[in-house]
Amino acid sequence: MPADLAVIGLGHLGLPLAQAATAAGLTTIGYDPDPRAAALPGTGGPLSATELRRLLAAGFRTTADPAALGRVRTAVLCAPTPLGEDRALDLSALAEAARTLAARLRPHTTVILESAGYPGTTEEFLRPLLEAGSGLTAGRDFHLACSPARHDPGNRTHRYRNTPKVIGGLTPACTEAAAAFYGRLTDKVVRARGPREAETANLLETNYRHINIALMNEMAVYCHEIGVDLWDVIRCAETKPFGFQSFRPGPGVGGHAAPLDPNRRAPQGGSLRMVELAQDINDRMPAYVLQRCTTLLNEHGKSARGARVLLLGITYKPDLADLTGTPAREVAARLRQLGAHLTYHDPYVPRWEVAGRPVPRADSLYDAASAADLTVLLQPHRTYDLQGLAVKAQLLLDTQGTTPTGAAHRL
């Protein structure tokens, strides 16, 4: 059965797109080569189990059969491109998705890249794979464009419909074909000069976030050293109506959007040195949290060895079940190395392992906080009563500055 859209890759990019397309009335199929992913288990993903049920009830179909890709008008590549050990993007899943699509690609299809990539990924990496596998020519026989994903998990204000979509096509006709597709899903499309500009805009957006978080993390360490209340500094600074955007420090940076330095993949010109520095600063934050933990315990006559430590909120972002890149894992591992006895509480995570060993989950939040020598708030989920928590905890380290003033030690 023909479909308007094939979403290739059913992860944190693909499912929100499928949700938006289905809501807009497009006949949509989801393809993933992993049958388990195509089954949509709905645990810890970008959509809740309720949202997945509604999506399927609205007609969304999933498959692990690549033959379905030969009967669609538009195909959007949402394959994962995680960072490898060398901190360069791993494009192997994207390459496999492109080859699978290419073998079934028909003339006049619109192919769009949403997966994160470097400037040049669409033209230099994706295009040759599609052309070699299909025998077709991009820009002549089929449309090819890049439109980097802008999904912000858990954001209740900026959803797919009211978030502008940047589009850069291989040719003007490619751009217009992609714009016609996204025009059905979002209120505004922004036409870039080409794929490289669209890819580089995504690079700028991602690195902007990480660099500003790194600045705030560095300020957190600096303000603690000189005895200044950083959170009051932020409160004052964000009243400036121009030239300042407020960010918050934290125990580290997680999530799917990793900082990128194009020089790690293909040297062409200078590297982005500020991005490298920002990553170094953000990577040091779990160790800094550990330092603050041990100092607080020592100040209260306790050693980290044998201390009972409760970690609250272990996901990478508040009010989500996603553990991707969460700094909580490194904080927990470091505390264990010092001999601390760990428990955790998170309303979204029923089970948690660190380095292959389970971490006990606290059943009663307040009982666990009152029994722990130290409670560390890593993510302030909305379900937490921070005022009550501050009263119950023997010793509380707030890494997010969300507890009432004076109720806890802040990062």
Side-chain angles (χ1 to χ4, degrees), residues 227-252:
V228 168
D229 185 344
L230 169 68
W231 307 98
D232 193 55
V233 171
I234 295 173
R235 181 184 64 82
C236 294
E238 62 189 2
T239 63
K240 185 179 180 182
F242 53 88
F244 180 81
Q245 181 181 0
S246 182
F247 284 78
R248 296 292 189 272

Side-chain angles (χ1 to χ4, degrees), residues 75-402:
V76 181
L77 292 158
C78 298
T81 54
L83 288 183
E85 292 185 2
D86 60 352
R87 303 203 69 84
L89 286 179
D90 180 357
L91 302 181
S92 57
L94 176 60
E96 183 59 31
R99 294 187 187 100
T100 301
L101 174 63
R104 289 128 186 117
L105 189 61
R106 298 185 308 168
H108 310 301
T109 303
T110 299
V111 180
I112 304 170
L113 175 65
E114 281 211 4
S115 301
Y118 298 98
T121 299
T122 303
E123 295 174 271
E124 299 169 8
F125 182 83
L126 182 58
R127 178 182 181 177
L129 291 173
L130 294 173
E131 291 183 339
S134 66
L136 304 175
T137 300
R140 185 189 70 188
D141 302 319
F142 67 93
H143 297 299
L144 179 61
C146 174
S147 182
R150 275 181 165 174
H151 178 60
D152 184 18
N155 192 320
R156 300 184 180 187
T157 302
H158 297 103
R159 311 301 291 266
Y160 212 101
R161 172 58 65 179
N162 64 352
T163 300
K165 208 74 170 72
V166 174
I167 300 163
L170 192 64
T171 66
C174 292
T175 298
E176 292 310 311
F181 165 70
Y182 283 114
R184 300 179 66 178
L185 312 185
T186 184
D187 296 333
K188 183 177 181 179
V189 295
V190 180
R191 292 164 175 80
R193 288 180 177 235
R196 284 177 177 271
E197 284 75 14
E199 291 159 343
T200 308
N202 180 245
L203 181 80
L204 175 60
E205 293 168 15
T206 300
N207 288 339
Y208 176 86
R209 169 177 173 260
H210 281 266
I211 287 171
N212 279 281
I213 292 174
L215 172 62
M216 300 312 297
N217 283 335
E218 203 165 37
M219 287 295 295
V221 177
Y222 171 73
C223 286
H224 178 70
E225 290 175 348
I226 65 172
V228 168
D229 185 344
L230 169 68
W231 307 98
D232 193 55
V233 171
I234 295 173
R235 181 184 64 82
C236 294
E238 62 189 2
T239 63
K240 185 179 180 182
F242 53 88
F244 180 81
Q245 181 181 0
S246 182
F247 284 78
R248 296 292 189 272
V253 181
H256 301 272
L260 295 179
D261 182 351
N263 196 54
R264 286 190 176 275
R265 178 169 179 261
Q268 42 186 335
S271 64
L272 299 177
R273 291 186 296 161
M274 189 174 291
V275 175
E276 291 289 329
L277 179 59
Q279 186 61 42
D280 288 343
I281 293 169
N282 292 333
D283 283 348
R284 290 200 298 265
M285 290 310 291
Y288 179 68
V289 170
L290 180 75
Q291 175 190 325
R292 293 294 308 280
C293 288
T294 56
T295 300
L296 284 172
L297 286 167
N298 287 337
E299 289 175 350
H300 288 77
K302 299 181 185 296
S303 168
R305 180 171 298 280
R308 294 163 298 180
V309 180
L310 172 65
L311 302 180
L312 297 185
I314 60 169
T315 57
Y316 90 86
K317 192 175 183 181
D319 307 311
L320 292 179
D322 200 335
L323 292 167
T324 303
T326 173
R329 185 166 282 111
E330 185 177 346
V331 172
R334 289 176 176 270
L335 283 166
R336 268 185 170 168
Q337 288 172 356
L338 291 180
H341 299 301
L342 295 183
T343 56
Y344 84 96
H345 183 277
D346 194 301
Y348 300 95
V349 184
R351 291 175 298 278
W352 190 38
E353 289 187 353
V354 173
R357 292 173 52 198
V359 180
R361 186 179 189 274
D363 295 324
S364 171
L365 172 59
Y366 296 125
D367 288 347
S370 62
D373 298 310
L374 173 64
T375 298
V376 184
L377 180 64
L378 297 173
Q379 288 297 354
H381 296 306
R382 287 190 181 95
T383 56
Y384 287 155
D385 173 8
L386 300 180
Q387 180 74 55
L389 177 65
V391 171
K392 290 288 186 180
Q394 293 188 40
L395 186 59
L396 177 61
L397 174 62
D398 178 4
T399 68
Q400 301 286 340
T402 50

